[in-house]
Amino acid sequence: MTTTVSANRKGDRRERELVNALDEAGFAVMRAPASGSATERELPDVLAGDGETFYAIEAKSSAGDPIYLTGEEVEALLFFARNFGAKARIAVRFDREDWYFFHPGDLCTTDAGSYRVKKEKALADGTDFPEFVGETEKVTLAEVGDDGDDGDATDPETEERRTILEAVRDGHMPVADALDVL
């Protein structure tokens, strides 16, 4: 029981952390009361909007790897988002990492019908917080390497970006450090 209470408190703290970060980024945001347990209706953890785009977000955090969501959680999120006119997103946060966002359809499904996000996938394929709130845009290695020149010469700045992005991809550099460098 103590472990469950402690995990719930940590989850609540992480949800409040996400709400505060979205608020600071200029979103109108609210955390659903008890994420559905205070009502018969299944509610997303967080509702957020910037006046143009609205999100219904199910937030999960973990010290370990991976993060799992039940099929029922995801179905309820999709149902609510569709009826509310919002985009459904799954927000995941691993210890010592930032938030990463996924459309539910981009997650791996297990044979048992659950959804799974591994830390490696979050870092490689997830939408990070700055991109989610519109502060940055994701640039792929292919885009960095495509300088429009068919020659073999690559300018030093492009080569440096490529090296940094490869270090992030290979797990040798945290995303936050790469953002600072770039």
Side-chain angles (χ1 to χ4, degrees), residues 13-69:
R13 187 174 67 245
R14 293 290 191 219
E15 286 175 17
R16 285 190 300 274
E17 171 190 289
L18 177 59
V19 165
N20 290 336
L22 287 166
D23 180 60
E24 289 173 16
F27 281 73
V29 61
M30 67 171 280
R31 185 170 167 251
S35 304
S37 65
T39 177
E40 292 292 316
R41 295 180 309 275
E42 290 295 325
L43 299 173
D45 294 323
V46 176
L47 293 172
D50 64 2
E52 294 179 20
T53 306
F54 302 94
Y55 295 100
I57 302 169
E58 188 68 25
K60 296 289 181 185
S61 63
S62 176
D65 184 28
I67 290 175
Y68 289 96
L69 296 98

Side-chain angles (χ1 to χ4, degrees), residues 139-149 154 158 162 165:
V139 178
T140 66
L141 288 174
E143 291 169 335
V144 170
D146 184 17
D147 61 4
D149 182 6
T154 303
T158 299
R162 178 188 310 274
L165 291 172

Side-chain angles (χ1 to χ4, degrees), residues 55-59 77 81 87-91 101-104 127 132:
Y55 295 100
I57 302 169
E58 188 68 25
L77 174 67
K87 294 181 178 187
R89 292 296 181 266
I90 306 294
F101 300 84
F102 291 90
H103 182 278
T127 300
F132 185 77

Side-chain angles (χ1 to χ4, degrees), residues 14 95 122 129 142 145 165 182:
R14 293 290 191 219
D95 280 3
F129 189 83
L165 291 172
L182 292 172

